């Protein structure tokens, strides 16, 4: 009998302990007990994110997340060399526009105007090699008209030369009227033509030339070209 009583006593004591524990938890929840220290750092709550989580996750949209502080990759393509892009070339028919204009003064003269239509500066070497009609030879140059420096044309700039078509006093021989003109461009040596020739239009009635035909060197200014 004493054993039965001892067992009942232990059960009653255990029950009292459970009640006290429940009362203790109730006191903690209503702010009268000890402070809740929060969940452990390894725990997670369904539907919430850690405080230091980023606002959006790029990987969830199929995009790799960029490291914090990363910058776009630098463009590794080699830049164009502005010096080589602007290196002067020889002026010739495909990169220039040539206009031939007969003049009243000086009499029996024609002005050639060459404009650089290319994207690079070009050199007008020596003098224009002009061919009227089916002529087999080009006229000579007036040596005294040689400029001090090679004429250089920036894109859009023009150079000039004049053509003495015939003798003003009528002393020239083999006079004839020509209706077509081709202008060829010399290279650095002045002994050869380079590139394409130009075909400036002449007046519908043509121009009168004779064996006194001659040209000036290319000039940087119109006034210098008309001096001769």
């Amino acid at each position: 009998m004493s054993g039965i009583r001892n067992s009942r006593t232990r059960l009653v004591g255990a029950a009292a302990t459970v009640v006290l524990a429940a009362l203790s938890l109730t006191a903690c929840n209503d702010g009268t007990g000890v402070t809740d220290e929060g969940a452990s750092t390894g725990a997670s709550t369904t539907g919430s994110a850690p405080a230091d989580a980023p606002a959006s996750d790029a990987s969830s949209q199929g995009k790799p997340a960029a490291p914090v502080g990363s910058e776009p990759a630098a463009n590794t393509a080699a830049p164009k060399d502005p010096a080589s892009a602007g290196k002067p070339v020889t002026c010739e028919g495909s990169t220039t526009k040539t206009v031939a204009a007969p003049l009243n003064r000086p009499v029996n003269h024609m002005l050639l105007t060459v404009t650089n239509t290319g994207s690079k500066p070009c050199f007008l070497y020596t003098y224009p090699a002009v061919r009227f009609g089916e002529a087999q030879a080009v006229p000579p140059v007036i040596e005294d008209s040689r400029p001090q420096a090679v004429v250089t044309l920036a894109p859009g700039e023009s150079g000039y030369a004049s053509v003495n078509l015939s003798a003003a006093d009528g002393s020239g021989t083999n006079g004839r009227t020509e209706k077509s003109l081709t202008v060829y461009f010399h290279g650095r040596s002045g002994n050869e033509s380079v590139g394409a020739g130009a075909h400036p239009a002449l007046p519908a009635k043509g121009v009168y030339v004779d064996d006194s035909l001659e040209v000036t060197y290319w000039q940087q200014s119109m006034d210098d070209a008309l001096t001769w």
Side-chain angles (χ1 to χ4, degrees):
M1 295 295 292
S2 61
I4 293 173
R5 292 192 187 95
N6 290 336
S7 297
R8 290 178 177 175
T9 301
R10 285 195 295 270
L11 289 174
V12 171
T17 300
V18 171
V19 172
L20 291 174
L23 292 174
S24 176
L25 288 174
T26 301
C28 290
N29 288 335
D30 64 8
T32 59
V34 295
T35 303
D36 182 8
E37 295 181 356
S40 65
T41 57
S44 63
T45 305
T46 302
S48 62
D52 59 349
S56 63
D57 185 359
S59 62
S60 66
Q61 302 177 12
K63 301 177 182 178
V68 176
S70 65
E71 296 181 356
N75 184 2
T76 57
K80 293 183 179 179
D81 183 0
S84 63
K87 184 177 180 180
V89 297
T90 301
C91 299
E92 46 101 359
S94 67
T95 58
T96 59
K97 178 181 179 180
T98 302
V99 176
L103 302 173
N104 293 325
R105 293 184 180 180
V107 67
N108 300 342
H109 278 58
M110 182 173 68
L111 179 69
L112 294 178
T113 302
V114 174
T115 302
N116 183 359
T117 58
S119 59
K120 299 179 179 181
C122 70
F123 293 129
L124 273 176
Y125 289 112
T126 64
Y127 57 92
V130 300
R131 179 184 178 186
F132 286 93
E134 299 299 323
Q136 299 300 310
V138 298
V141 64
I142 303 172
E143 286 295 339
D144 289 343
S145 67
R146 183 191 295 268
Q148 294 183 350
V150 174
V151 174
T152 304
L153 304 182
E157 287 187 337
S158 299
Y160 309 89
S162 65
V163 182
N164 295 356
L165 298 171
S166 59
D169 59 4
S171 61
T173 59
N174 295 321
R176 62 203 183 272
T177 298
E178 297 289 359
K179 294 187 177 182
S180 66
L181 170 64
T182 302
V183 179
Y184 297 99
F185 298 84
H186 283 142
R188 182 187 296 272
S189 69
N191 296 322
E192 81 288 350
S193 62
V194 296
H199 303 277
L202 294 178
K205 64 180 182 179
V207 294
Y208 181 82
V209 300
D210 61 26
D211 287 349
S212 63
L213 184 68
E214 58 185 354
V215 300
T216 68
Y217 280 90
W218 291 114
Q219 308 292 329
Q220 199 78 53
S221 75
M222 183 186 300
D223 288 343
D224 288 341
L226 297 180
T227 300
W228 310 96

